[in-house]
Amino acid sequence: MEDQWAFESAGSDGTRMQFLITQLPCQIGRAKSNDLVIADLGLSRLHATLVSDITGQLRLIDENSTNGTFVNRHRVEGYCLLKKNDIVHFAGAEFKLRQIQVERHSVLPFDQMSTMFIEETKSLSEYFVPNEAEFDELIMGNGLSGAIQPIVDSKTRKIVAYELLGRSNHPRLPKTPIELFSLARAMDREAELSMAFREFGVKKFAQHVQGSKLFINAHPTEMFSEIFLASLRQQRQSIPDVQIVVEIHESAVTDVRQLRRFVNQLDSLDILFAYDDFGSGQARLLELADVPAHFVKFDMSLIHSLDKASPRKQKLVKDLVQMVLTTGSAPLAEGVESSEEAMACVGMGVQLIQGFFTGLPIPAESL
């Protein structure tokens, strides 16, 4: 076994194969004479060449191929330097550059054919995800950031809690949580990103909110897992003077018995919980009644322009608020942006308010 550069390919059925780069220079193409022979009609007979650069990196040279060579979806003009986890397209053939420990194996040749021209409008395949290396850096803490947003008591107008919000300031990654989780979903790594945000937020903000409740988010993919519970146990020990509230997205609530077991485990850790984004999809009324939460966060889609909504919608929201109060939970309105929306919520019995009207998110850099 030894460290070896390799191109990883992905089949349409999800299978992966390693094409080892056994020598440099390494010629890549469809002809039998190449070092790496790729069975794809879009490749030129000699499509590209890999050589060792003076910096120690791999240099990829496009050999004036008919359909082009692309690195991270940008066409190579002449040559470029490669790094680990780069995504490389030789015409329509997609690969990811890996550095792995493998046993050497032979590469099957492919018979000679004329190059099949690919239309310019043909999109590149997307079996691999760009910026995986930068995502790894983010998970390890490089570029992680966050913010806390106040949650206000609707009667006293005092701040009673904060919600942790994940952010990124990595120069080569998206900034917003929605974009970051979209990237993580493509790699099946949402749980890792969610945990990284929580750990950063608790470490950065907990000392500033002692005596208050701290709402923390969890991604549906990590909910109920032992890893998630272990992380909560650790965070409970690290911030004994802060009351933790775990937000459970309604999409994760499908099994009442599993939910009840999870809530009992939270209770043993002295951790509260809230149903998040209530009303954004299928309202889990059965779960709300059978396993009542400490808080129910009404989704901003219900709250936006509530003061201007039709009488029918206003009655619906008011009935939901009263139902939540009946179960012993505290209704919390998210996304409140104006005094009119706030007053409408108060009139319906909402006890807690969160949004730009009552307090903008406070970024870590502004503490």
Side-chain angles (χ1 to χ4, degrees):
M1 302 293 285
E2 61 180 7
D3 287 335
Q4 184 74 57
W5 287 108
F7 279 125
E8 181 180 22
S9 69
S12 58
D13 60 352
T15 58
R16 301 296 173 96
M17 181 180 293
Q18 304 288 349
F19 292 82
L20 297 182
I21 301 169
T22 57
Q23 63 182 24
L24 294 173
C26 176
Q27 292 184 324
I28 302 164
R30 199 162 32 79
K32 293 179 180 180
S33 57
N34 290 297
D35 302 296
L36 178 54
V37 181
I38 301 173
D40 189 306
L41 294 177
L43 269 73
S44 299
R45 288 191 177 90
L46 174 56
H47 197 98
T49 302
L50 279 174
V51 299
S52 180
D53 188 74
I54 192 173
T55 63
Q57 298 173 274
L58 292 179
R59 179 188 292 196
L60 176 62
I61 304 169
D62 180 76
E63 300 288 359
N64 296 315
S65 62
T66 303
N67 293 309
T69 303
F70 302 81
V71 175
N72 297 324
R73 318 194 84 76
H74 297 288
R75 185 159 187 161
V76 174
E77 301 294 342
Y79 72 90
C80 74
L81 298 179
L82 298 180
K83 64 181 184 301
K84 181 180 176 182
N85 292 326
D86 274 343
I87 297 172
V88 181
H89 283 82
F90 302 107
E94 182 182 14
F95 300 87
K96 174 161 280 191
L97 183 65
R98 301 291 195 184
Q99 193 171 35
I100 57 176
Q101 281 197 329
V102 294
E103 295 179 358
R104 295 178 178 271
H105 65 275
S106 60
V107 181
L108 295 176
F110 186 64
D111 56 346
Q112 297 187 23
M113 292 183 183
S114 60
T115 300
M116 178 183 290
F117 183 75
I118 298 177
E119 302 87 348
E120 291 184 2
T121 57
K122 182 176 177 64
S123 60
L124 298 175
S125 56
E126 295 187 37
Y127 294 124
F128 297 109
V129 180
N131 302 118
E132 184 177 353
E134 289 79 10
F135 187 85
D136 288 338
E137 294 173 1
L138 183 70
I139 294 299
M140 297 302 294
N142 182 12
L144 277 176
S145 186
I148 50 173
Q149 187 171 30
I151 297 173
V152 176
D153 186 289
S154 63
K155 292 183 178 179
T156 66
R157 302 186 180 184
K158 293 182 178 179
I159 296 174
V160 295
Y162 296 87
E163 180 183 355
L164 280 180
L165 305 172
R167 298 286 188 272
S168 165
N169 55 26
H170 195 290
R172 296 188 62 187
L173 290 175
K175 306 299 180 185
T176 67
I178 292 178
E179 293 175 300
L180 285 168
F181 274 105
S182 177
L183 175 64
R185 182 172 61 255
M187 295 182 285
D188 194 24
R189 299 179 66 181
E190 300 102 316
E192 290 181 65
L193 179 60
S194 179
M195 182 177 294
F197 277 148
R198 277 198 310 275
E199 291 178 350
F200 173 87
V202 167
K203 182 178 180 180
K204 189 72 175 180
F205 293 103
Q207 59 182 322
H208 299 280
V209 298
Q210 292 187 9
S212 299
K213 295 179 176 62
L214 185 64
F215 284 65
I216 62 176
N217 290 281
H219 193 271
T221 57
E222 62 179 334
M223 193 61 61
F224 312 132
S225 71
E226 289 300 324
I227 295 176
F228 179 49
L229 284 169
S231 71
L232 291 179
R233 215 171 278 117
Q234 182 180 9
Q235 289 170 348
R236 173 73 287 171
Q237 294 172 356
S238 66
I239 50 172
D241 297 328
V242 177
Q243 181 64 71
I244 299 175
V245 182
V246 174
E247 297 190 15
I248 301 177
H249 193 277
E250 68 168 18
S251 64
V253 182
T254 57
D255 186 325
V256 172
R257 287 179 297 180
Q258 183 184 43
L259 176 62
R260 188 176 289 113
R261 287 195 299 270
F262 178 70
V263 168
N264 289 337
Q265 291 171 309
L266 292 182
D267 186 60
S268 68
L269 296 174
D270 190 28
I271 293 177
L272 309 181
F273 79 102
Y275 289 132
D276 190 23
D277 295 333
F278 181 72
S280 63
Q282 178 183 357
R284 304 287 181 178
L285 300 179
L286 177 62
E287 290 80 0
L288 183 66
D290 284 355
V291 191
H294 300 90
F295 307 92
V296 174
K297 303 188 73 173
F298 281 70
D299 187 71
M300 62 181 64
S301 62
L302 291 176
I303 304 304
H304 180 65
S305 298
L306 184 59
D307 56 302
K308 302 174 184 176
S310 66
R312 180 178 299 178
K313 179 179 178 179
Q314 289 184 346
K315 184 179 186 306
L316 172 64
V317 175
K318 184 175 181 179
D319 289 346
L320 288 173
V321 170
Q322 295 305 310
M323 186 182 303
V324 168
L325 288 169
T326 301
T327 65
S329 305
L332 188 161
E334 289 187 290
V336 177
E337 297 183 350
S338 68
S339 60
E340 291 79 13
E341 288 178 352
M343 291 303 296
C345 292
V346 172
M348 294 178 182
V350 171
Q351 295 177 340
L352 300 170
I353 293 177
Q354 179 182 357
F356 288 173
F357 174 68
T358 52
L360 297 174
I362 306 167
E365 296 79 8
S366 301
L367 285 176

